[in-house]
Amino acid sequence: MDICTLLLLISLISLHTFQVKGEGFVLKPIELAPIPCNDKAVEKLSRLAVTYINEDRTEGYKFALNRIANVYLHAQGPAGNVYYLDLDVLESKCHIGSPKPWKRCDVRPFMETQISGNCNTSILHTPEGYSYLYSYDCALVPDPPEKLQQTCPACPVLLAVESPEAMNAAGITLEFYKRQSTLGAGLGVKKVTRAAAQNVPTKAIFVEYTVQQCPEGFTERGTCQRLTLKSDTQ
């Protein structure tokens, strides 16, 4: 097989999904039927897919459904239907550990650097009415800082969460809170989840972070001196 024939075969395979059937490994194309994005069943499954994705993730902020981009259906006979959902999502202001449902979470506004992206998901819907998330792959990116500052020069831009400035701000703000409330007496910074900085009209750093109990004391940065089984509260 020459290189041109090989490239043509790869291109054809990339355009279709195939299944192996019978002896001799006969390739049979799987029929994927496009479904309208405004179909009521598709809208319900898309919301359910975002819920499942948020339940599976362990870090970051909950996603909110922004738009259904594309939908394809693969009929599975008595097993039901597999839906391939191409979903546009936005980052919300609810941390993934929040009990609040994503539908009730505010979407991160433009002036705080909006983060948006796409989730490719596959979900099985059975004749009995049950739904199972097979897989998902999400890619999100923040708005470019130059886009934000063209519209809002005074708005803060994202800062690396591991930066000394972010960690220092988290430690200072937590110490301030602990002086104001006895509820936070044994708390230390667990992880900075988001940080931003602005230079005008005055220099400021904004941080969001999770906290945990520190039974062994604290470091200079406000984190736990040594993690133990009792440190798992966040």
Side-chain angles (χ1 to χ4, degrees):
M1 180 183 297
D2 60 33
I3 187 66
C4 294
T5 305
L6 178 62
L7 290 174
L8 177 60
L9 179 59
I10 293 174
S11 299
L12 289 173
I13 291 176
S14 68
L15 292 174
H16 300 279
T17 304
F18 290 87
Q19 63 182 3
V20 178
K21 189 172 183 179
E23 296 183 359
F25 298 97
V26 176
L27 290 176
K28 181 182 178 181
I30 294 174
E31 296 296 331
L32 296 179
I35 303 295
C37 294
N38 60 355
D39 181 88
K40 294 299 181 183
V42 167
E43 292 177 350
K44 182 178 179 179
L45 286 173
S46 298
R47 292 191 293 268
L48 193 59
V50 174
T51 299
Y52 287 156
I53 291 170
N54 284 327
E55 289 176 350
D56 186 64
R57 295 170 56 239
T58 58
E59 294 185 351
Y61 294 82
K62 291 186 178 183
F63 298 155
L65 179 62
N66 182 39
R67 184 177 71 96
I68 303 170
N70 285 296
V71 185
Y72 290 92
L73 180 146
H74 176 207
Q76 299 282 306
N81 296 316
V82 173
Y83 290 82
Y84 297 94
L85 306 168
D86 185 10
L87 307 176
D88 290 342
V89 295
L90 295 170
E91 183 188 77
S92 76
K93 300 183 73 171
C94 291
H95 187 263
I96 205 68
S98 170
K100 185 183 291 187
W102 65 265
K103 297 173 190 176
R104 293 174 51 203
C105 295
D106 294 330
V107 170
R108 187 76 62 177
F110 173 80
M111 65 282 300
E112 291 184 19
T113 302
Q114 196 169 67
I115 295 180
S116 59
N118 176 267
C119 288
N120 291 311
T121 69
S122 58
I123 189 167
L124 170 67
H125 186 64
T126 69
E128 295 78 20
Y130 298 105
S131 299
Y132 304 93
L133 184 67
Y134 268 174
S135 64
Y136 69 90
D137 180 25
C138 298
L140 281 82
V141 293
D143 286 342
E146 55 272 15
K147 175 184 176 182
L148 173 64
Q149 295 201 303
Q150 282 178 356
T151 306
C152 180
C155 286
V157 295
L158 290 182
L159 186 68
V161 294
E162 307 89 357
S163 65
E165 296 90 345
M167 292 300 301
N168 185 52
I172 291 173
T173 54
L174 183 56
E175 278 301 314
F176 178 81
Y177 170 74
K178 288 158 71 171
R179 289 196 298 269
Q180 303 296 317
S181 171
T182 56
L183 296 176
L187 296 179
V189 176
K190 183 173 185 179
K191 184 174 183 179
V192 177
T193 55
R194 187 179 173 95
Q198 72 176 33
N199 292 317
V200 292
T202 183
K203 189 172 183 179
I205 295 177
F206 306 87
V207 286
E208 298 176 21
Y209 50 91
T210 56
V211 296
Q212 62 186 354
Q213 291 288 340
C214 297
E216 301 294 324
F218 310 96
T219 67
E220 292 182 358
R221 302 172 73 186
T223 57
C224 289
Q225 185 70 41
R226 187 169 68 89
L227 295 180
T228 67
L229 292 176
K230 294 181 180 179
S231 306
D232 201 31
T233 303
Q234 67 174 357

